[in-house]
Amino acid sequence: MMIETIVALCFGLTFVIAMLALAVKFPRPTAFQYTVFRIVLAIAVAGVAAVIPGFLEVSVSTAVKAGGALGVFIVVYFFSPASLVTNKVDEIDLPTLTNAWEGIRAPDINDLDLDMAHKALNALNLVAWYWNEASKDEKRLIKDECFSPYKQWFSVLDSKNIDMSDGKSSRIHLDGRIRDTYKEMKNYE
């Protein structure tokens, strides 16, 4: 009996720790990942609950009643508290994206304002992040709403090579995700 308790506890704790690691690695899971994570977490918590003394009885409807570890499984699976406080999976926040450019004037190539360049870099980063997380339909929407200012500021910051306040040039800031996003967005159909 003692060995069964230890095995059930180790099983449950191992999967709970694994789920915490996966939550850090995938902060915005796809709908499929979210479902799989929820099922595995429910099984893991039920495994831990199996070794805890006491009894829990759960009634989800007149058709579903369970107690003990199965009751814990049902609570965790059917009543997912994370879904109450998070955005829907695969949903972009278009107002945030369009507001990213609010207060940022079109670049004046002859008189570049360093503060405006910093704001533009922040907006470029935000759009690039959303772009990388977006579905096909969302990418079309992002391109329609954000490509014009993205292209203008990317071109100016790339061609002028401005020294930013952190000592790095604007080209260095553009390298990586921002540059990759620009290329993808430019060629996106």
Side-chain angles (χ1 to χ4, degrees), residues 9 69 160:
L9 186 61
K160 286 302 235 182

Side-chain angles (χ1 to χ4, degrees), residues 9 11 26 30-31 36 49 74 92-93 106 121 137 140 159 189:
L9 186 61
F11 165 80
F26 301 102
T30 64
V36 171
I74 287 173
I92 63 167
D93 185 1
L121 268 175
D137 292 337
R140 166 63 39 216
S159 65
E189 296 297 327

Side-chain angles (χ1 to χ4, degrees), residues 10 57-58 63 92 103 109 113 120 125 133 143 149 173-174 176 186:
C10 289
E57 187 174 320
V58 176
I92 63 167
I109 201 143
D113 179 1
N125 263 315
E133 298 292 321
K143 183 172 182 178
H173 282 281
L174 295 177
K186 183 177 163 185

Side-chain angles (χ1 to χ4, degrees), residues 16 25 38 41 55 68 70-71 89 96-98 100 125 130 138 140-143 149 157:
V16 168
K25 184 170 175 138
R38 196 173 82 204
L41 182 63
F55 194 77
L70 186 58
V89 176
T96 298
L97 274 177
T98 54
N125 263 315
Y130 271 107
E138 291 168 336
R140 166 63 39 216
L141 190 59
I142 292 169
K143 183 172 182 178
L157 293 173

